[in-house]
Amino acid sequence: MTDWLGPEEWSAIALSLKVALWATLGSLIPGVFVAYALARWRFPGKQIVNGLVHLPLILPPVATGYLLLMGFGTQGIFGSFLKDLGIVFAFRWTGAALAAAVMAFPLLVRAVRLSIEAVDPRLEQAAGTLGASRIWVFLTVTMPLILPGILAGAVLTFAKAMGEFGATITFVSNIPGQTRTLPTAIYSFLQVPGGESAALRLVAVSVFVAMAALLLSEYIGRYLARRVSGS
């Protein structure tokens, strides 16, 4: 297989896996927190928060990438401040991970939120009446029950991050070896004569990785569901 793919193709695959992994890891804690807040809490502006969370699903990806560039570019609202701290997102792989995380965040939140809403609140209330704190109730009662949902959301996040194109190319461009992920590499190969075969190979790799991730999540999800139910 090493002979089947060239160095540029391997570079795009490695970068995509790196971006998708960090996008997923970086989204997990805030995604679970936001999902729990939307599922269990009542607070002013809840629908606005819900709308903002799901906005990347509605906006064109290019528009999301442009907003990221305006906010986290070196001259952006947050980017200029972060630059002084030595943190730069624009035109770097970290920016690709940020763009992928933003685009996939709604999928993670929705999957986890549905799992939380499926948990009977009386179970959490019963644990609370025994003197357990909210955090302890979440960790010992809610978390085990929603693990399949968290896993499903994480896999969706990873798969979406692997395939993210519009926001990524707008925010971090398409720099070989730095920001050229699988989708942008496929796009680049299709723009040059004779690049169709390389593009087809990368498409095959994309399909393989996506199917492997989905099958793995299905297996682990069923295993965790059996453990939770005690069967």
Side-chain angles (χ1 to χ4, degrees):
M1 188 173 178
T2 55
D3 296 331
W4 183 52
L5 298 171
E8 188 175 353
E9 296 159 67
W10 274 116
S11 175
I13 293 171
L15 183 60
S16 289
L17 292 172
K18 180 180 180 181
V19 165
L21 178 61
W22 280 104
T24 303
L25 293 176
S27 299
L28 276 177
I29 293 179
V32 172
F33 175 79
V34 171
Y36 187 86
L38 292 175
R40 289 286 191 260
W41 296 352
R42 293 182 181 180
F43 54 90
K46 181 178 179 178
Q47 293 305 317
I48 296 177
V49 173
N50 185 56
L52 290 174
V53 168
H54 290 87
L55 194 61
L57 291 179
I58 304 170
L59 282 178
V62 174
T64 302
Y66 180 71
L67 290 175
L68 286 173
L69 188 61
M70 294 293 292
F72 291 92
T74 53
Q75 304 300 321
I77 301 174
F78 307 106
S80 57
F81 172 74
L82 293 173
K83 183 181 178 181
D84 295 336
L85 300 177
I87 303 173
V88 178
F89 287 105
F91 308 110
R92 297 191 179 181
W93 76 266
T94 50
L98 176 62
V102 169
M103 293 300 297
F105 193 72
L107 301 178
L108 174 64
V109 171
R110 184 167 182 79
V112 178
R113 181 181 179 180
L114 290 174
S115 295
I116 294 173
E117 290 176 344
V119 176
D120 190 343
R122 290 175 296 183
L123 296 175
E124 300 169 325
Q125 294 168 4
T129 58
L130 297 176
S133 65
R134 289 186 177 182
I135 295 178
W136 188 248
V137 169
F138 177 80
L139 292 177
T140 59
V141 177
T142 311
M143 178 68 79
L145 294 174
I146 66 173
L147 271 179
I150 294 176
L151 177 65
V155 171
L156 286 174
T157 302
F158 185 87
K160 176 64 176 175
M162 284 286 294
E164 168 51 35
F165 174 76
T168 300
I169 199 171
T170 305
F171 184 36
V172 298
S173 189
N174 183 14
I175 307 171
Q178 297 185 44
T179 63
R180 179 168 291 179
T181 57
L182 264 175
T184 54
I186 293 171
Y187 173 80
S188 299
F189 282 126
L190 290 175
Q191 303 307 304
V192 297
E196 292 83 0
S197 58
L200 183 59
R201 290 194 293 269
L202 290 181
V203 168
V205 171
S206 300
V207 172
F208 173 80
V209 171
M211 287 301 297
L214 290 174
L215 291 174
L216 180 62
S217 70
E218 187 74 14
Y219 171 78
I220 298 178
R222 290 181 179 180
Y223 172 77
L224 289 175
R226 289 196 301 267
R227 289 291 299 273
V228 169
S229 63
S231 59

